[in-house]
Amino acid sequence: MPIDWIFGLMGGLMIGTAAAMYLLISGRIMGASGIIGRLLDGTNRTAEPLAFVAGVILAPLILTIAAGGAPETNMTANPALLIAGGLAVGIGTRLANGCTSGHGVCGISRLSKRGIAATAIYLAAGFLTMAVLRHGLGWL
Amino acid sequence: MIRALIALLCGSLFGLGLLVSGMTDTAKVQGWLDIFGAWDPTLAFVLGGAILPMLAAWRIAAQRTQSRLGSPMPAPAEPRLDRRLIGGSALFGLGWALVGLCPGPALAVLAWGGRSAVIFFAAMAGGMLLAHLPALREKATP
C-alpha cells in the first residue's frame, strides 16, 4: 500500500523513542533478544525486564482490543517452519548478543562496528534465504 | 519501583511501535527480505525512523556519566568482531526469513497471534537457552 511507509516511519520513531528513553532514563540498551534471553536463563530476572516484557505484550493487546480487532500476522501455520525459524532466531541472536533492536537500532545509531556488521550479516542471510526458499525451492 | 515503571512505559511504546510499523506482519517482513520478488521497502523507514531518536540519545549520553535514574551509561561499544557474532547473525537472518519474526515482534504477537505465535516463541526461547551449550560458545575468538 502506498501509505505503508508513513506507518513504518511513525512506528519506527516510536521504537527509537522507547530506546532513547530506556537509555537516557534507565541507562539500558533496549535489545529485545537480550532482555528476553536474560529473563529465560536467569541472568536478570528483576522487575525491570519483566515490566518491559509486560509492556511489549500488553500495550499492543490493549490497542487492538480498543480498536475492535487484532491485526493480521500472516504467520505460517507450518510447525516445521515455525520451530526451525524460532530455534534459528533464538540461538542466533543470543550467540550474536543482539537482534534487530539491539544491533540494528541501538548499535548502528552509535556507529558500533559490531552492530553494523551484525545488521549487514543478518540482512544478507535473510535476503539469501528468501531468494533460495521462495524463488528457488518455492517453500515460502 | 520507578525503574519498573519506566521499563513498562518503554516496553509499551516499543510494542506499539512494532504494531504500527508493520513489524508484527510477517508478510511485510518477508516482503522486505524478498529483494528478488515484490520487494517491500517499508522496513527501511522503520529502521531509519528508529535510528533517528537514538542518534540524538547517544550524543546526549556521551555528555553524561549517569542515566537519569543514576545507573552508569552503557560501556563503549566493543569493537571486536568474532565468530559468534558472524555465525549467530547469519543464523538469525535465516530464521527471520523463514517465519518473518524477530525477537521483539515474536514477543508482541504472543497476545494475538494464536497457536503459531506460541510455537514460534517456544522454539525461540528453547534456542536462546541452547545458545549456552558449551559447544556453541567456546569458539569465542576468531
Side-chain angles (χ1 to χ4, degrees), chain A residues 35-52:
Chain A
I35 292 170
I36 299 168
R38 286 188 292 271
L39 275 173
L40 288 169
D41 66 26
T43 319
N44 184 359
R45 283 185 178 153
T46 58
E48 190 172 41
L50 277 172
F52 184 88

Side-chain angles (χ1 to χ4, degrees), chain A residues 44-127:
Chain A
N44 184 359
R45 283 185 178 153
T46 58
E48 190 172 41
L50 277 172
F52 184 88
V53 162
V56 177
I57 297 176
L58 293 177
L61 179 65
I62 291 167
L63 180 71
T64 57
I65 290 171
E72 194 50 69
T73 63
N74 291 309
M75 210 185 314
T76 177
N78 179 339
L81 275 180
L82 290 166
I83 291 170
L87 280 172
V89 169
I91 297 174
T93 54
R94 289 308 279 151
L95 283 183
N97 207 19
C99 57
T100 340
S101 46
H103 281 315
V105 175
C106 298
I108 291 179
S109 59
R110 80 192 297 200
L111 302 177
S112 149
K113 220 172 111 185
R114 283 172 61 87
I116 293 167
T119 305
I121 294 165
Y122 67 67
L123 280 177
F127 293 150

Side-chain angles (χ1 to χ4, degrees), chain A residues 4 12-13 16 24-27 41 48 51 71 73-74 76 86 91-92 100 106 109-110 114 122 125 127 133-135, chain B residues 3-4 7 25-26 28 33-34 49-50 54 58 67-69 71 75 78 80 88-90 98 102 112 116 120 124 127 132:
Chain A
D4 277 9
L13 286 168
L24 295 175
I25 302 174
S26 305
D41 66 26
E48 190 172 41
T73 63
N74 291 309
T76 177
I91 297 174
T100 340
C106 298
S109 59
R110 80 192 297 200
R114 283 172 61 87
Y122 67 67
F127 293 150
L133 295 191
R134 178 170 283 179
H135 300 290
Chain B
R3 299 198 75 93
D25 179 350
T26 61
K28 232 170 167 31
L33 294 174
D34 190 9
M54 279 306 285
W58 282 119
S67 74
R68 189 53 70 98
L69 292 179
S71 42
E78 166 81 44
R80 198 170 44 89
S89 296
L98 283 184
C102 51
W112 72 89
S116 291
F120 183 84
M124 184 179 87
H132 288 291

